[in-house]
Amino acid sequence: MKIGELAKHSGCEVETIRYYEREGLLPTPPRSGGNYRQYSEQDAERLLFIRHCRSLGMSLDDVRTLQQFQAEPERACDEIDALLDRHIQQTASQIASLERLQKQLQSLRSACHTHMSAQQCGILQNLQSAAASSDCVCHHEDSEA
């Protein structure tokens, strides 16, 4: 199949497929007589594997590592377990960071409750104070929590 067909089949942009080829996640496909890339069903499966890993937030290096294990199915999977444990820990850290951000935004939002002019808006005043290296309600309350 041609790259456009692979893109449609996988739901992946053509440029992303080319990028994965440049990164070595997809092998460079053979070319047809008309110089079109020719992909196999195995290439499509590999691309779907990559896309699934990426949808789980895995890095390209993680995907490469997993592909190495696919190529050597007799290897022990301890490294795969460790990879996933690291990814779970990174995800937990990101969740905690997003929760802190949410609290900061909620604190900032609480600085303005009524319909006012922009000049009187507590949100805008706090953002301007923070830009001037002063305390902002969103960071002040976060450090107390």
Side-chain angles (χ1 to χ4, degrees):
M1 72 183 88
K2 294 179 184 176
I3 196 167
E5 294 167 309
L6 178 62
K8 186 175 181 177
H9 173 73
S10 65
C12 191
E13 297 290 326
V14 168
E15 278 306 311
T16 303
I17 295 170
R18 290 182 182 135
Y19 174 71
Y20 290 155
E21 286 176 20
R22 287 192 303 273
E23 290 295 314
L25 295 170
L26 283 174
T28 303
R31 299 275 185 158
S32 69
N35 205 27
Y36 291 104
R37 290 175 168 93
Q38 293 294 305
Y39 296 93
S40 67
E41 192 58 41
Q42 185 179 4
D43 294 324
E45 288 175 18
R46 189 174 186 126
L47 179 58
L48 291 172
F49 176 84
I50 295 165
R51 285 187 41 86
H52 187 67
C53 290
R54 297 291 288 154
S55 76
L56 295 171
M58 293 183 188
S59 69
L60 296 182
D61 286 338
D62 289 344
V63 175
R64 278 187 199 91
T65 298
L66 293 171
Q67 286 179 328
Q68 289 169 353
F69 277 91
Q70 284 179 316
E72 301 173 42
E74 300 302 318
R75 282 175 64 182
C77 71
D78 297 347
E79 217 178 305
I80 296 171
D81 297 341
L83 181 150
L84 205 59
D85 289 342
R86 283 191 307 274
H87 190 58
I88 290 167
Q89 182 56 45
Q90 289 169 348
T91 303
S93 178
Q94 290 171 332
I95 289 169
S97 179
L98 287 170
E99 287 173 343
R100 283 190 304 275
L101 175 60
Q102 182 181 28
K103 286 178 184 176
Q104 290 174 327
L105 291 171
Q106 288 169 337
S107 294
L108 186 59
R109 178 61 183 95
S110 70
C112 188
H113 294 289
T114 59
H115 180 72
M116 300 178 175
S117 68
Q119 182 180 9
Q120 297 171 318
C121 179
I123 296 170
L124 193 55
Q125 289 171 0
N126 271 279
L127 292 171
Q128 288 170 334
S129 292
S133 300
S134 299
D135 280 341
C136 176
V137 68
C138 64
H139 290 94
H140 178 70
E141 289 182 14
D142 184 52
S143 62
E144 292 178 356

